[in-house]
């Protein structure tokens, strides 16, 4: 069974920082986690889910324009972990953050709530 577990969210004031973590496990990933492109998705209040950052197995990254220069995605293939460092947070960054492959699989975790107050 595939399992994706996100953590690290919380309530912060505008301008603050958070570091999100995603732990991947299960037979689909097994020992080949390194070949998957992984991403962080978010769903804000009253908004559709969007991909905000992605990273290939080799470490190439892409970011949505809204987070470019503020967020950094990284991964540790040996630990099967994906991270999202979020700096200079804005109220519009508020939402539930999920990790998944890119394109997304059907296996979603619980997500982690990020709330940015003004």
């Amino acid at each position: 069974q595939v399992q994706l577990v996100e953590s690290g969210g919380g309530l912060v004031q505008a301008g603050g920082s958070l570091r999100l973590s995603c732990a991947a496990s299960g037979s689909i990933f097994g020992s080949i986690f390194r070949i998957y492109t992984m991403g962080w998705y978010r769903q804000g209040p009253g908004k559709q889910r969007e991909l905000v950052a992605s990273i290939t197995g080799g470490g190439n990254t892409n970011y949505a324009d809204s987070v470019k220069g503020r967020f950094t995605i990284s991964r540790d293939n040996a630990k099967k972990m994906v991270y999202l460092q979020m700096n200079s947070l804005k109220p519009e960054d508020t939402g539930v953050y999920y990790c998944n492959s890119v394109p997304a699989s059907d296996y979603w975790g619980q997500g982690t709530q990020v709330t940015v107050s003004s």
Side-chain angles (χ1 to χ4, degrees):
Q1 289 283 89
V2 170
Q3 191 168 3
L4 297 165
V5 180
E6 301 92 346
S7 62
L11 173 63
V12 298
Q13 292 187 332
S17 297
L18 285 172
R19 183 174 184 260
L20 307 184
S21 298
C22 171
S25 63
S27 60
I28 290 180
F29 291 122
S31 297
I32 60 171
F33 172 78
R34 66 191 306 274
I35 75 171
Y36 288 91
T37 295
M38 298 295 293
W40 283 95
Y41 301 77
R42 74 182 175 195
Q43 185 170 6
K47 300 178 181 178
Q48 298 297 117
R49 185 184 62 207
E50 63 176 336
L51 178 67
V52 298
S54 65
I55 183 167
T56 68
N60 292 329
T61 60
N62 285 103
Y63 300 93
D65 288 341
S66 60
V67 308
K68 198 169 297 182
R70 300 187 297 117
F71 290 11
T72 303
I73 188 172
S74 60
R75 67 192 294 163
D76 184 332
N77 289 329
K79 296 181 179 179
K80 298 183 178 64
M81 297 285 291
V82 188
Y83 307 97
L84 186 68
Q85 178 66 46
M86 305 186 295
N87 298 324
S88 302
L89 283 161
K90 304 174 180 179
E92 51 262 46
D93 295 319
T94 292
V96 180
Y97 284 69
Y98 304 87
C99 66
N100 208 327
S101 56
V102 182
S105 76
D106 292 333
Y107 303 99
W108 294 91
Q110 295 278 72
T112 186
Q113 176 71 46
V114 172
T115 303
V116 185
S117 65
S118 60

